[in-house]
Amino acid sequence: MTAARLGRVAALGMAIGCAGAPEPSGTRNYWRSGPHVHVRGPWEAITPSSDADEVIDQLCPAVMELPRAMARDYGQEYCGGIYHASMPSPLGEPEPVGPSKRKKCIPPRYVADPRGRTIVLGDFHSHPWAPSSLSLVDRLAETQIWTIRIQFDRACTITKLVPNLGSEQPGEVYLRQRKHWKLVGIIKHENKALGLVTAVDD
């Protein structure tokens, strides 16, 4: 998907801006409903833009201000949705505290925005150590929910996965460099289920 197309989708999501999902009493910014996570939006730390890349570029610095987001082995992973940008959620399956090199948060299925119904473009999540690229679990076909997946580490190295599920087109893995996306790998159609990446030469 081209940057222009991503921008148009992001703009649409912001224009019609809330998923019809059960909300808890009070003012919690994230909650679980069965197996799914719900998050509120918009996240005031992120300046709205019709360009999805401008939203993505703001995510890492904002997330790294959150508790334990940079605490390496003892850190916290955060997940959120990109439509403008939702508030990030730390909700996930229990993980042992310590140097597991594996943290979890659950990408949100729904974004509750008081302005109206949201159209979510992708999900984002953080890793509290660096360097850290997309994990195997991040790349598995069964874990893909949206059109794109964004991951960044504590050094704000940003990776984008375009899974292209339901298409013969290979999945694409990009690295954000100087405000541009560099293709660094593909996931061949026959490898999508397992998320196996084939490196792309310069």
Side-chain angles (χ1 to χ4, degrees):
M1 183 177 289
T2 66
R5 170 65 176 151
L6 292 178
R8 287 195 294 274
V9 174
L12 178 62
M14 291 187 302
I16 62 178
C18 153
E23 296 188 28
S25 58
T27 58
R28 281 188 286 163
N29 293 327
Y30 46 84
W31 65 97
R32 292 192 72 159
S33 177
H36 301 313
V37 169
H38 303 245
V39 289
R40 293 194 191 278
W43 188 15
E44 293 181 356
I46 306 298
T47 301
S49 175
S50 60
D51 184 338
D53 289 343
E54 290 185 3
V55 171
I56 290 166
D57 286 339
Q58 299 177 68
L59 291 172
C60 184
V63 168
M64 292 304 150
E65 294 292 325
L66 300 175
R68 296 173 47 230
M70 298 183 70
R72 297 185 174 90
D73 295 343
Y74 296 88
Q76 174 66 57
E77 182 171 306
Y78 288 89
C79 284
I82 301 170
Y83 72 109
H84 152 47
S86 77
M87 296 177 185
S89 160
L91 295 177
E93 300 305 320
E95 285 289 324
V97 175
S100 65
K101 283 299 183 192
R102 180 181 171 94
K103 307 294 179 185
K104 288 185 181 178
C105 60
I106 302 173
R109 285 273 182 176
Y110 304 100
V111 177
D113 187 317
R115 300 172 299 177
R117 189 170 185 81
T118 60
I119 294 179
V120 179
L121 169 66
D123 60 77
F124 67 86
H125 69 281
S126 64
H127 288 173
W129 53 77
S132 181
S133 57
L134 284 163
S135 71
L136 177 59
V137 173
D138 292 335
R139 304 190 309 263
L140 292 174
E142 67 183 27
T143 66
Q144 309 309 315
I145 303 173
W146 311 110
T147 307
I148 64 171
R149 165 162 286 172
I150 299 295
Q151 181 267 321
F152 42 85
D153 59 25
R154 72 189 302 272
C156 286
T157 300
I158 304 171
T159 306
K160 176 171 70 174
L161 171 63
V162 183
N164 290 322
L165 296 183
S167 167
E168 294 290 329
Q169 182 177 352
E172 301 157 294
V173 180
Y174 294 89
L175 192 62
R176 189 73 166 154
Q177 293 184 341
R178 301 181 184 87
K179 303 292 185 180
H180 293 88
W181 293 108
K182 178 183 179 181
L183 182 67
V184 294
I186 62 169
I187 303 177
K188 297 177 182 179
H189 181 68
E190 61 270 23
N191 292 331
K192 287 180 179 179
L194 298 178
L196 300 178
V197 175
T198 300
V200 173
D201 295 331
D202 290 336

